[in-house]
Amino acid sequence: MARDLRGFIQELEQKGQLRRIKALVDPDLEIAEISNRMLQAGGPGLLFENVKGSSFPVAINLMGTEERVCWAMNRLTPEDLETLGKKLGMLQQPKPPKKISQAVEFGKILFDVVKAKPGRDFFPPCQQVVVQENDLDLNTLPLIRPYPGDAGKIITLGLVITKDCETGIPNVGVYRLQLQSKTTMTVHWLSVRGGARHLRKAVERGQKLEIAIALGVDPLIILAAATPIPVDLSEWLFAGLYGGSGVNLAKCKTLDLEVPADSEFVLEGTITPGEMLPDGPFGDHMGYYGGVEDSPLIRFHCMTHRKDPIYLTTFSGRPPKEEAMMAIALNRIYTPILRQQVSEIVDFFLPMEALSYKAAIISIKKAYPGQARRAALAFWSALPQFTYTKFVIVVDETINIRDPRQVVWAISSKVDPVRDVFILPNTPFDSLDFASEKIGLGGRMGIDATTKIPPETEHEWGATLESDGDVAAMVDRRWAEYGLGDLDLKDVDPNLFGYDM
């Protein structure tokens, strides 16, 4: 499998999923505009080889489809990701094995953890070129500005690496950084994130916080760092579990931090307690511009990179975007873990159009009255990443939750708004959600779109219309005989049914 960015780019090119752009392009607005059109159409990844103001090429949209995200995680299909989710679920809540086969299975998972342990590289490719102090100029990087109302140039797909000054345990996150000067950037992270916690501890001790930004890493490591699953394993181990082998790490040139040895670029710097600058506004995943917020200032003093490095980037915004594609794939990983937490859930889906977390569709095998409401309430508390899910729609297991036409039919034919819709007011909420009356405080809605059983209803429910089984089987056998064998009825164009997509 690809263990670095270059290997993944080569894989995409071999599979016809990469376009090299030789024409001169501007990182200010133009690259994002081209990429956004590709994202809307599910087009290939892009490698811009001639970028205005920089000698480095720019890779973007590499994970712009669910299929390519699966490839990045060394899997062929989204369904394969559920196997990985089962492993993580067993690590999160291990149970005493009742059979020898269960003990063997858990032993294999523990062996996978051992194999996932990071390795060390003492002559790392990421340090083939070293630029320090007065020679450092971040303007040489082809940083993009995606939207006309954005405050400046940004880094979006960098691994932001810090360390707890008390325990020495590192944190690897993916946060937005804004260019402030030739040697400084602000980092935008939520107060609950690991990097923010590390900074608070450094402030208490009156120390500077060391911080490294690894750019152009194996996409698999980015996915591991972006996975908010509550398993007490480091992001490096996560990446090793995802890839089947440990990530090679290297110590920074000037910091006591470790970074992926095959990174294309590494920026090394420090945050001085109390040094802040305004950050923003920028376009965010909600589809609007965010606000301006005072954020920690990073002073960089060293940059290392590979020979002929490639700069990897992306940008947020209303879906489809790369972050939405990653979320769809990670949805599959969550599924077995969610089933372990809420046993009645058969499947669940976070639609991309609902920003990958604002609305969830859950299918259950209904056995008793009120079960749909119980499942919705359990979902909200099952995993931290569902805290900000605004809508939960519960349907029967016979509904294909990934087909919006079936979901809309279930809501329309099975829901009485008075009986089947319930609202939880004044719950903690996403500060980026402008729909809330009070920022950070909002309501949640549950919709029971399952078939009702007594005492949920006092009348009989009509039988669902279904084909005669024997006749359907006969038509299957005679389909070619009818002269219809050349028609593919599985690939349906929704625009034929009144949609405009």
Side-chain angles (χ1 to χ4, degrees):
M1 65 168 287
R3 293 308 304 168
D4 61 10
L5 175 62
R6 297 175 184 211
F8 187 61
I9 289 174
Q10 183 179 15
E11 179 182 353
L12 295 187
E13 197 157 28
Q14 290 172 347
K15 293 180 176 179
Q17 286 289 302
L18 183 86
R19 289 289 184 93
R20 292 177 179 268
I21 311 297
K22 299 186 182 300
L24 180 67
V25 294
D26 196 329
D28 188 73
L29 304 179
E30 187 178 7
I31 285 180
E33 176 66 22
I34 297 168
S35 178
N36 194 43
R37 296 187 185 192
M38 281 294 175
L39 284 160
Q40 298 291 329
L46 301 172
L47 184 63
F48 294 98
E49 298 180 328
N50 188 5
V51 181
K52 182 179 178 181
S54 178
S55 61
F56 306 125
V58 173
I60 195 169
N61 194 27
L62 301 191
M63 291 184 283
T65 65
E66 185 183 23
E67 181 181 47
R68 296 204 294 270
V69 175
C70 290
W71 294 346
M73 300 186 74
N74 200 27
R75 302 297 193 277
L76 294 177
T77 67
E79 291 78 12
D80 293 337
L81 296 173
E82 292 200 20
T83 303
L84 179 57
K86 290 177 182 177
K87 288 183 181 181
L88 296 177
M90 291 184 69
L91 288 171
Q92 180 185 341
Q93 289 185 331
K95 299 177 181 178
K98 296 180 179 179
K99 301 177 182 178
I100 293 178
S101 59
Q102 292 175 337
V104 171
E105 183 180 5
F106 190 64
K108 289 180 180 178
I109 293 173
L110 291 179
F111 183 62
D112 287 341
V113 174
V114 173
K115 289 194 300 181
K117 185 179 179 181
R120 296 292 180 272
D121 193 328
F122 298 100
F123 301 98
C126 68
Q127 293 176 0
Q128 290 170 339
V129 178
V130 180
V131 182
Q132 290 184 283
E133 302 299 345
N134 294 335
D135 294 327
L136 176 61
D137 186 354
L138 299 176
N139 290 298
T140 61
L141 296 173
L143 305 183
I144 68 170
R145 189 172 72 100
Y147 300 105
D150 286 347
K153 299 178 180 180
I154 54 172
I155 288 176
T156 51
L157 274 185
L159 297 182
V160 180
I161 302 159
T162 57
K163 183 188 290 186
D164 189 304
C165 60
E166 292 179 355
T167 66
I169 297 175
N171 178 79
V172 185
V174 182
Y175 313 120
R176 188 192 71 222
L177 299 105
Q178 176 184 341
L179 182 68
Q180 298 287 352
S181 75
K182 62 180 287 189
T183 57
T184 63
M185 302 189 81
T186 44
V187 58
H188 184 266
W189 51 30
L190 298 176
S191 60
V192 297
R193 300 302 185 195
R197 292 197 305 270
H198 291 176
L199 179 57
R200 286 195 295 272
K201 286 191 175 183
V203 170
E204 291 172 1
R205 292 191 170 198
Q207 299 176 350
K208 292 183 179 181
L209 179 69
E210 293 188 333
I211 184 167
I213 316 297
L215 303 169
V217 301
D218 179 358
L220 182 145
I221 304 177
I222 295 172
L223 287 158
T227 304
I229 295 177
V231 179
D232 192 17
L233 295 174
S234 75
E235 288 83 3
W236 305 134
L237 274 173
F238 255 128
L241 281 172
Y242 282 2
S245 61
V247 176
N248 274 348
L249 300 177
K251 190 171 181 179
C252 288
K253 273 289 185 182
T254 65
L255 305 175
D256 187 23
L257 293 173
E258 292 181 317
V259 296
D262 290 318
S263 304
E264 296 291 323
F265 297 88
V266 176
L267 305 178
E268 302 180 13
T270 58
I271 298 176
T272 300
E275 282 200 335
M276 312 276 281
L277 280 181
D279 183 285
F282 288 102
D284 65 37
H285 67 282
M286 296 289 293
Y288 305 101
Y289 287 103
V292 179
E293 186 176 345
D294 284 343
S295 299
L297 182 70
I298 308 172
R299 294 188 179 275
F300 292 106
H301 54 262
C302 179
M303 176 174 70
T304 67
H305 62 78
R306 299 177 66 150
K307 293 178 181 177
D308 302 318
I310 301 168
Y311 180 74
L312 177 66
T313 190
T314 191
F315 56 98
S316 293
R318 181 176 172 179
K321 297 291 182 288
E322 287 187 75
E323 59 192 1
M325 296 301 108
M326 290 188 274
I328 289 174
L330 294 176
N331 185 161
R332 296 283 190 171
I333 295 177
Y334 300 151
T335 301
I337 299 172
L338 183 60
R339 289 196 195 109
Q340 188 168 302
Q341 300 272 36
V342 188
S343 58
E344 58 252 76
I345 289 180
V346 174
D347 200 1
F348 93 107
F349 180 52
L350 300 169
M352 174 186 70
E353 291 77 14
L355 308 174
S356 304
Y357 71 103
K358 285 295 181 182
I361 306 166
I362 298 172
S363 63
I364 65 171
K365 187 173 184 178
K366 190 167 181 176
Y368 56 86
Q371 188 177 9
R373 182 170 299 207
R374 179 197 179 281
L377 293 170
F379 172 85
W380 274 312
S381 58
L383 294 173
Q385 57 265 41
F386 304 143
T387 301
Y388 296 150
T389 300
K390 192 173 351 184
F391 304 100
V392 175
I393 303 165
V394 187
V395 299
D396 295 313
E397 64 174 335
T398 55
I399 298 295
N400 178 2
I401 59 176
R402 291 173 177 80
D403 183 344
R405 295 171 301 174
Q406 292 194 35
V407 174
V408 170
W409 174 80
I411 294 172
S412 302
S413 66
K414 299 176 186 290
V415 171
D416 178 342
V418 174
R419 176 193 60 201
D420 300 326
V421 175
F422 64 96
I423 294 175
L424 305 179
N426 299 321
T427 62
F429 225 63
D430 185 355
S431 62
L432 293 174
D433 193 329
F434 298 140
S436 300
E437 185 175 349
K438 298 178 180 178
I439 297 298
L441 199 64
R444 304 167 195 268
M445 175 185 289
I447 301 174
D448 177 1
T450 61
T451 302
K452 303 305 178 293
I453 57 178
E456 294 172 330
T457 181
E458 296 180 355
H459 56 76
E460 291 187 8
W461 205 273
T464 303
L465 301 179
E466 294 180 352
S467 299
D468 181 276
D470 293 336
V471 173
M474 179 191 69
V475 170
D476 285 341
R477 292 192 304 270
R478 299 191 60 195
W479 193 250
E481 184 182 338
Y482 302 146
L484 302 175
D486 61 319
L487 297 179
D488 182 7
L489 301 187
K490 293 181 180 179
D491 187 15
V492 179
D493 180 1
N495 292 338
L496 296 174
F497 301 102
Y499 293 94
D500 185 8
M501 298 175 64

